[in-house]
Amino acid sequence: MAEHRALHPGAAWTELVVTDADWDAADPELLATMFHQLTLIRAFEELVLELAAAGLVHGPAHSSIGQEGGAVGSVLALAPGDQVNGSHRGHHQFLAKALQHVAPKGFDLTAGLSEEVRTVLLRTLAEICGLARGFGHGRGGSMHLQWIEAGAMGTNAIVGGGVPLAAGYAWAARQAGTDAVAVTYFGDGAANIGSTLETFNLAAAWRLPVCFFLENNQYAVSTSVEEATGEQRLSARGPGFGIASWRVDGMDPLAVHLAMSEAAAHMRAGHGPTLIEADTYRYFHQNGPFPGSSFRYRSKEEEAEWRSRDPIDRVAGHLIRRGLLTAEARDAAVAGAKEAVAAAGEVLLEPVPDGKPGERRIRPAEWPDPAFVDVGVRGDLSEFDGARMADESIAVRDTKFIDAVAEVMRRRMEADDRIVVLGEDVHRLSGGTNGATKGLKDAFPDRVLGTPISENAFTGLAGGVALDGRFRPVVELMYADFMWVAADQLFNQIGKARHMFGGDGPVPLVLRSKVATGTGYGSQHSMDPAGVLATAPGWRIVAPSTPFDYIGLMNAALRCEDPVVVLEHVDLYNSTGPGPVDDYDYCLPVGRAALRRTGSAVTLVAYLSMVAEALAAAEETGVDAEVVDLRWLDRASVDWQTLGASIRKTNRILIVEQGPVGTSYGGWLADEIQRRFFDWLDAPIQRVTGGVASPSISKVLERAAIARREEIATALRRIGEA
């Protein structure tokens, strides 16, 4: 008969329970700070619900009432240099970190609050109401609260979306030589999200000092934990990844504090990530001022049982039992908290003129200027002041494209120790799957990071590194199609971060990826993502067609404080073209196209490998085409001046690209060209694209699905005959 041997996880999994003896041993100053923070955060949340009920909060108001003990208990165990991010239900997480920052020794609600504490309340309330004086100038609202100076790196409306970012903060802290840790707060729903689980694995593999703080409030909107998963002790996920894990009563702030103290010590000692599951309860529905029982997915009896374990009552009860607080002082503290948050409301609100008694509105002067709507989608490029741009004095020679890719990165990493490269297999195979990182691992062993196959996790980690600001990540996604595996991190997180959090903070990240159309890799490895990327706010996009351009554009991307996608076409890797003899330090200007061929019959617009195809087609047909290599593809960086000058000369335009028509870049470009230059066009805008379907594996079907010089030549001949 087969022998059965019990297996046990390699990481500890502990339930931490405190007793009265622990409460008796607790530092009175710690307990007093807990009580006053909890009371102030509760009063703040009650005001938010009041304003939401009055229609003064635009959008959701995800109250944390009932869950304050987890945030306060954990943050009070952190050091000033530690960083946190949170979930859509993150007011308490943000306030706990912000209050710790401005009042590290605590405060007493009965003795009046400092101007710094009152300012935190005012700016947080203003942000939740969407007002100009908020931390994000009203852009983020309730779900996107960020104050980087306080270590509050941003709450997040995407379930699990902030978890990979926190791994980036942890990596940056360790790489900078500090013992700081990162904490990412998320709920029971996010415990089942792929980005969360990917990050568990990556953090454990790299032994990152990040704590996964799981606020198990029992419901994801109205779906209970029992319905959502077979293992309802959600901290069980930690040991499966080799992560030391704790389970605590989240309604007990001291238990949370002790668990976080142990977890922080574990991480600071270099033992890797931790997970804390805090069982807690939100007193109200997913958002708004009504209890969950009003929507019939939980009972009033269940709600009453959880309310009987209220974290504020628990802390106050032990303080009173120990003679450290009186009932009268507790009442005075509650009154002080209500006064402080009401004072913040008075700054932002005023009576409605000729309105009903007690009816209020936002003071008109508090709203953002509508002209601010698009400010900060991208930066102002002031970082290029003084940058050395390419000129005709640079000596050139024939250069293999892929050698230029590897060499410019080596030069930049040699000159700037902030640059870190990460991606699948970038550290092996003599420079990854195509040689783009050749020699980098040997030269910079701690800054070239081979990742697990986990695009969401490592792309998000790079996003966190960029937001942290101490390092400059360069991410390689092996194929452009894989961007859609990491779509949340690319589009909802990295691409939106600057604008969403107020337009002030840089997001210096470079994403490299290759277009493999025509290589036989089929539908899921052949995408040209330019058409979709161009519709996404926040990203800049470069598409080099020569080794010389690649160097200048990569240098520009690495200087830029916005996230930049650098697209590379496989057809170009083994090609040769003009490249510098030894100068790898110049930039090409943002938003400058290149005129590759002059002509008068038609403006032929291309990018990447299709530039060479367009030039070949023009020579083959004899049509006097002017060929414009776009180089920069995002909406903010298209060189309308060069395009406009060419169109005014030729009065015709042909946009060429290789991939399918459905995700085509040329579609939006054609629309914009006709809006800007309609009066100069003597004929409809013409386009060459692939077919409807993505390329297939079959060599014959793949060729039928894409465009090359033959299709361009056919289009040019039609124009020449017109």
Side-chain angles (χ1 to χ4, degrees):
M1 180 177 289
E3 181 181 355
H4 292 75
R5 299 175 181 176
L7 297 177
H8 303 281
W13 182 25
T14 307
E15 184 165 15
L16 188 153
V17 180
V18 302
T19 65
D20 283 354
D22 296 299
W23 283 97
D24 290 341
D27 182 352
E29 291 186 5
L30 170 66
L31 297 184
T33 299
M34 276 186 185
F35 168 70
H36 289 285
Q37 279 205 13
L38 288 166
T39 302
L40 184 58
I41 293 171
R42 175 70 60 86
F44 181 91
E45 289 285 66
E46 288 172 344
L47 176 62
V48 169
L49 287 184
E50 178 186 331
L51 299 184
L56 295 172
V57 175
H58 184 60
H62 297 103
S63 162
S64 68
I65 292 176
Q67 299 184 205
E68 305 95 338
V72 171
S74 58
V75 168
L76 288 177
L78 300 179
D82 297 335
Q83 296 168 305
V84 308
N85 71 2
S87 66
H88 60 283
R89 191 179 312 286
H91 303 166
H92 57 323
Q93 301 151 3
F94 176 83
L95 282 172
K97 193 69 171 76
L99 291 171
Q100 183 205 42
H101 177 68
V102 299
K105 296 182 179 179
F107 52 84
D108 185 342
L109 288 165
T110 66
L113 295 176
S114 68
E115 191 61 33
E116 290 80 7
V117 170
R118 290 181 179 273
T119 298
V120 166
L121 297 175
L122 176 60
R123 293 189 67 192
T124 306
L125 186 63
E127 187 59 41
I128 291 169
C129 291
L131 307 180
R133 74 167 77 208
F135 283 97
H137 310 303
R139 289 245 182 87
S142 172
M143 296 185 288
H144 310 108
L145 295 165
Q146 182 192 67
W147 189 20
I148 286 180
E149 292 82 356
M153 305 301 287
T155 55
N156 205 294
I158 302 296
V159 173
V163 176
L165 299 172
Y169 314 145
W171 183 90
R174 187 181 66 185
Q175 186 73 2
T178 76
D179 71 347
V181 304
V183 181
T184 181
Y185 295 93
F186 56 95
D188 47 278
N192 304 316
I193 291 285
S195 59
T196 300
L197 301 175
E198 284 186 23
T199 309
F200 284 2
N201 180 68
L202 181 58
W206 289 4
R207 300 178 72 81
L208 297 177
V210 57
C211 176
F212 301 102
F213 195 99
L214 200 169
E215 287 185 321
N216 183 357
N217 67 19
Q218 316 306 313
Y219 292 91
V221 187
S222 64
T223 302
S224 69
V225 172
E226 290 81 357
E227 294 175 86
T229 184
E231 173 52 85
Q232 296 160 27
R233 300 167 301 171
L234 301 180
S235 48
R237 286 153 171 71
F241 289 94
I243 298 173
S245 301
W246 288 255
R247 189 183 189 200
V248 297
D249 179 0
M251 308 300 278
D252 187 328
L254 182 60
V256 174
H257 181 79
L258 293 175
M260 179 56 81
S261 297
E262 293 179 8
H266 176 97
M267 293 184 288
R268 295 192 209 284
H271 299 319
T274 58
L275 186 153
I276 296 174
E277 177 190 7
D279 282 320
T280 185
Y281 202 73
R282 53 174 166 83
Y283 291 175
F284 293 91
H285 179 52
Q286 166 75 350
N287 70 82
F290 301 102
S293 56
S294 298
F295 300 88
R296 299 183 181 180
Y297 62 85
R298 61 191 195 194
S299 68
K300 292 181 179 180
E301 291 76 19
E302 177 185 305
E303 291 172 344
E305 192 279 327
W306 279 95
R307 281 179 176 267
S308 71
R309 300 163 53 195
D310 187 85
I312 302 178
D313 290 345
R314 180 169 293 187
V315 176
H318 283 288
L319 284 168
I320 293 170
R321 180 180 61 80
R322 289 182 58 183
L324 302 172
L325 183 72
T326 65
E328 292 77 14
R330 175 182 179 168
D331 292 343
V334 172
K338 290 183 180 295
E339 179 279 325
V341 300
E346 287 300 314
V347 174
L348 305 177
L349 305 171
E350 67 180 12
V352 175
D354 302 320
K356 299 176 183 177
E359 189 177 9
R360 294 181 292 177
R361 69 175 187 181
I362 303 293
R363 294 182 187 273
E366 295 292 334
W367 291 110
D369 184 341
F372 184 63
V373 61
D374 289 332
V375 173
V377 172
R378 300 172 181 85
D380 62 5
L381 300 178
S382 58
E383 62 269 31
F384 284 88
D385 293 346
R388 178 177 161 247
M389 297 297 171
D391 58 38
E392 296 179 357
S393 68
I394 298 174
V396 298
R397 65 182 176 190
D398 279 348
T399 303
K400 193 173 182 180
F401 195 97
I402 195 64
D403 291 343
V405 173
E407 180 60 16
V408 70
M409 189 58 64
R410 188 188 71 79
R411 295 287 185 100
R412 294 284 65 76
M413 294 184 76
E414 193 175 63
D416 186 350
D417 60 10
R418 297 174 302 161
I419 296 174
V420 55
V421 173
L422 64 157
E424 295 159 5
D425 296 302
V426 296
H427 61 319
R428 298 271 166 79
L429 305 177
S430 298
T433 54
N434 290 99
T437 52
K438 182 179 181 180
L440 298 186
K441 182 65 174 178
D442 291 338
F444 314 102
D446 65 333
R447 293 194 284 137
V448 177
L449 311 175
T451 67
I453 297 175
S454 53
E455 282 81 5
N456 249 313
F458 71 73
T459 302
L461 181 145
V465 171
L467 288 171
D468 173 88
R470 285 173 284 188
F471 297 92
R472 189 174 288 268
V474 179
V475 181
E476 178 182 303
L477 289 181
M478 197 177 290
Y479 291 88
D481 309 67
F482 299 175
M483 291 183 189
W484 273 255
V485 180
D488 173 49
Q489 295 303 315
L490 292 174
F491 300 123
N492 281 325
Q493 310 298 336
I494 297 164
K496 293 179 180 177
R498 179 194 276 271
H499 183 265
M500 182 171 68
F501 290 123
D504 302 321
V507 188
L509 180 147
V510 172
L511 172 67
R512 293 182 44 250
S513 197
K514 68 189 179 205
V515 178
T517 309
T519 62
Y521 268 74
S523 297
Q524 295 176 335
H525 285 66
S526 303
M527 183 177 191
D528 175 354
V532 179
L533 285 168
T535 67
W539 284 95
R540 295 187 187 270
I541 312 164
V542 297
S545 65
T546 70
F548 188 93
D549 278 15
Y550 187 93
I551 292 162
L553 293 172
M554 176 55 79
N555 284 333
L558 287 169
R559 191 180 188 98
C560 189
E561 297 291 357
D562 299 325
V564 182
V565 174
V566 179
L567 296 179
E568 303 163 10
H569 200 293
V570 171
D571 281 357
L572 296 173
Y573 281 155
N574 291 317
S575 68
T576 58
V581 172
D582 192 45
D583 185 348
Y584 285 77
D585 301 324
Y586 58 88
C587 291
L588 287 172
V590 176
R592 187 76 56 81
L595 197 61
R596 301 298 185 193
R597 184 182 193 273
T598 60
S600 60
V602 61
T603 298
L604 207 167
V605 179
Y607 60 92
L608 287 179
S609 64
M610 290 298 273
V611 174
E613 300 286 298
L615 290 169
E619 292 302 317
E620 175 187 323
T621 60
V623 174
D624 190 22
E626 184 150 288
V627 178
V628 177
D629 180 352
L630 288 173
R631 299 202 291 205
W632 293 87
L633 305 183
D634 59 278
R635 184 180 295 271
S637 307
V638 171
D639 187 350
W640 298 114
Q641 183 175 352
T642 296
L643 278 175
S646 182
I647 291 168
R648 290 183 182 96
K649 179 169 61 171
T650 67
N651 308 120
R652 294 176 181 271
I653 188 162
L654 173 64
I655 301 169
V656 304
E657 52 195 320
Q658 192 169 38
V661 65
T663 55
S664 157
Y665 175 79
W668 86 264
L669 182 64
D671 176 73
E672 191 65 27
I673 287 172
Q674 70 89 17
R675 291 175 192 277
R676 291 171 180 260
F677 306 112
F678 179 80
D679 289 344
W680 295 91
L681 293 171
D682 289 343
I685 296 170
Q686 300 296 308
R687 293 173 56 203
V688 170
T689 70
V692 174
S694 299
S696 305
I697 291 291
S698 164
K699 186 174 183 179
V700 171
L701 294 178
E702 180 181 51
R703 179 62 189 90
I706 65 177
R708 288 197 184 276
R709 71 186 64 185
E710 292 84 359
E711 285 75 17
I712 302 173
T714 298
L716 285 175
R717 290 189 182 98
R718 285 200 301 266
I719 290 171
E721 294 167 359

